[in-house]
Amino acid sequence: MIEPEFPEDLSAYDSGGKYLGEVKLGNASPVAEPIFVPPNVRHENNVLDIKTIQRDRAATLRGYPLVTFDEMEADPPAKNWLIKGILARGETSAWIAPPGAMKSALLAEAAICVGAGLDWHGYRNKGVAGVLYFAIERSDLVKRRLRAHRARLGLAGTPICVSSATIDLTHPDAFKKVIDTIRDAKTILGDEIGFVIIDTFAKLIAAAGGDENSAKDQGAVFANVQKVKNATGVHVALIGHTGKDESRGARGSNALLGDVDVMVTISGDEIKSVTVTKANDAPEGPLFSFKSDVHQFGTDEDGDPITVNVVSSEEVSSQVGTKPTEPKLSTNQRVMYRLLSDAGPAGLTVEAWNELAKETGIATKQRHYEIRMALKDKGLVREYAGMWRTNRSESGGEAQRTGRLSDFGAARDGGASHDL
């Protein structure tokens, strides 16, 4: 089948970008319903039957596509993760920090981990996916960082593309060229694109004279971002700036906060802390911390070092960067906190935590409850979806996150000048 350059009705494509063909009803417009089939999900016959019913129904309905209560069972309840717990296909994230806070460097490292199938700061990679990085500003810096990771890890053939073009998503049809670019990248790389980075959000809006302080302009951008995700199933990560008051979050209209699935802020000086400040269906709180490192490519014609600042491979406890005042804990509180810390990122159910506490001599459920609530009030633990986890780690306490880019071997060159 020859695919049209771009159909009038985007529903002729499924969420993975595959062309589904057109369904005609007399002189009616094409109304093929999108069918999202995650690439890593095995579908049973009943699921495929439901998808067939939905597609056949699309040939007779004139309104918007519908899914019944029972048909919702055909979709897997778990998200289709790229990096489990952080980056999911079909979602949008915003990564917000002041200038020089290594936000672009962090997303360049994320691109490497998604494209090379590596875990990211202890968060599990769920399979290699292609990456498209729209470096609207400082594209040379983005490319140098990617080259530094390539050299340090000895990578080749990693499915990552960089576009230095100034893209515009404020006009109604602007999404079409972005979708075309994603498909071009898939053709060039030979891998399905799962991760799209836009650096920066301010430049994206300003490309056509838009204003990041305008909720209307931001709304137009997010409408197009949604169309891109609907047609391709990618995760879109937006890199943005904080305002003059960093505590108030992203610069510009607060529409950004309402339109993203996950908002992450980066703060700190020598130690950078990465924190989820908003999430639709995940816990908020610290993700991880990191430090910067200098990669040296060699020297230029004058003998001066050619360097770039990247995220360091050194493991950093999230507590090191902020050095908070330690809350005072009783002996039993410290014991129960340690039990939860030792469980690591997976956490514990209330029942499992109580059982472990009982084995240490903390006997009653009432006592367990009182200690649990005291730890929660002190901001040390949190509960989400029936699982309890620590909010931060102690030195030698909560298992430090592993699976980082441990193969990074270049020594730090503290005397060289570098990019932030």
Side-chain angles (χ1 to χ4, degrees):
M1 178 183 296
I2 298 176
E3 298 184 11
E5 178 176 322
F6 219 100
E8 289 298 319
D9 185 358
L10 264 184
S11 65
Y13 285 81
D14 70 8
S15 296
K18 180 181 177 183
Y19 183 58
L20 299 176
E22 296 184 351
V23 180
K24 295 280 189 179
L25 181 63
N27 295 324
S29 301
V31 291
E33 183 177 355
I35 301 174
F36 178 57
V37 183
N40 62 343
V41 175
R42 179 177 179 269
H43 291 268
E44 303 295 343
N45 289 337
N46 63 325
V47 174
L48 294 175
D49 289 343
I50 289 174
K51 294 300 184 184
T52 301
I53 291 170
Q54 291 173 346
R55 187 166 179 174
D56 290 344
R57 182 195 299 140
T60 60
L61 298 179
R62 295 178 180 272
Y64 293 111
L66 302 170
V67 177
T68 69
F69 180 78
D70 288 339
E71 289 169 357
M72 296 175 192
E73 288 296 309
D75 295 320
K79 293 185 181 183
N80 191 13
W81 294 107
L82 296 167
I83 300 293
K84 191 169 185 179
I86 304 180
L87 304 174
R89 290 177 184 263
E91 292 192 346
T92 303
S93 60
W95 300 76
I96 308 301
M102 299 288 290
K103 52 188 177 295
S104 295
L106 185 63
L107 269 294
E109 185 194 42
I112 290 290
C113 290
V114 170
L118 300 171
D119 291 352
W120 192 40
H121 295 271
Y123 290 88
R124 187 179 305 166
N125 183 290
K126 298 298 288 182
V128 170
V131 180
L132 175 56
Y133 196 127
F134 285 102
I136 305 176
E137 62 176 88
R138 307 186 76 181
S139 63
D140 288 343
L141 176 56
V142 170
K143 294 172 187 175
R144 287 199 301 276
R145 283 181 170 137
L146 294 174
R147 289 181 62 184
H149 289 304
R150 172 191 172 103
R152 291 183 166 203
L153 288 168
L155 297 173
T158 305
I160 299 175
C161 277
V162 176
S163 172
S164 304
T166 300
I167 64 174
D168 165 29
L169 282 178
T170 59
H171 295 115
D173 291 336
F175 65 94
K176 294 182 179 180
K177 194 162 186 177
V178 174
I179 294 174
D180 284 339
T181 307
I182 292 172
R183 292 181 179 143
D184 289 343
K186 174 187 174 182
T187 300
I188 293 168
L189 297 173
D191 283 277
E192 196 79 41
I193 304 300
F195 189 31
V196 172
I197 301 169
I198 299 178
D199 188 359
T200 61
F201 184 67
K203 292 292 184 183
L204 176 67
I205 291 184
D211 182 0
E212 65 179 330
N213 292 309
S214 166
K216 179 180 179 181
D217 288 346
Q218 282 201 16
V221 168
F222 278 104
N224 279 323
V225 167
Q226 187 62 52
K227 291 175 183 176
V228 169
K229 294 189 298 181
N230 289 346
T232 64
V234 301
H235 180 102
V236 177
L238 305 168
I239 298 176
H241 298 284
T242 56
K244 292 180 180 180
D245 182 356
E246 293 181 25
S247 65
R248 298 183 64 182
R251 189 174 69 189
S253 168
N254 60 9
L256 176 65
L257 182 62
D259 281 313
V260 298
D261 297 285
V262 180
M263 179 171 284
V264 181
T265 58
I266 304 165
S267 59
D269 297 319
E270 181 181 357
I271 305 294
K272 309 294 183 185
S273 297
V274 182
T275 304
V276 175
T277 55
K278 180 255 183 175
N280 285 343
D281 54 1
E284 299 176 0
L287 282 177
F288 53 82
S289 293
F290 68 93
K291 298 171 71 174
S292 66
D293 198 3
V294 177
H295 177 80
Q296 183 170 333
F297 293 101
T299 57
D300 62 17
E301 66 277 8
D302 298 319
D304 296 322
I306 303 171
T307 65
V308 68
N309 210 355
V310 296
V311 174
S312 170
S313 61
E314 180 183 350
E315 290 291 342
V316 179
S317 167
S318 61
Q319 193 175 2
V320 174
T322 56
K323 297 181 180 178
T325 302
E326 289 297 329
K328 292 183 179 180
L329 301 180
S330 69
T331 299
N332 284 345
Q333 288 171 353
R334 189 168 293 280
V335 168
M336 283 195 65
Y337 180 76
R338 179 67 59 202
L339 292 171
L340 189 60
S341 294
D342 290 344
L348 294 170
T349 63
V350 169
E351 292 77 12
W353 198 6
N354 288 351
E355 191 63 33
L356 290 172
K358 187 182 296 184
E359 292 174 4
T360 67
I362 306 174
T364 67
K365 288 187 177 180
Q366 179 63 28
R367 192 73 185 113
H368 300 160
Y369 173 80
E370 292 170 355
I371 295 172
R372 190 165 57 250
M373 291 301 103
L375 292 174
K376 183 178 180 181
D377 290 342
K378 294 175 186 291
L380 293 175
V381 302
R382 68 185 186 277
E383 186 270 340
Y384 176 73
M387 299 299 294
W388 284 84
R389 299 175 177 86
T390 58
N391 274 333
R392 65 188 191 188
S393 60
E394 293 183 324
S395 175
E398 182 183 0
Q400 289 190 356
R401 301 193 180 279
T402 57
R404 289 287 319 283
L405 306 183
S406 56
D407 292 335
F408 277 17
R412 176 174 303 187
D413 183 356
S417 61
H418 52 271
D419 298 294
L420 288 177

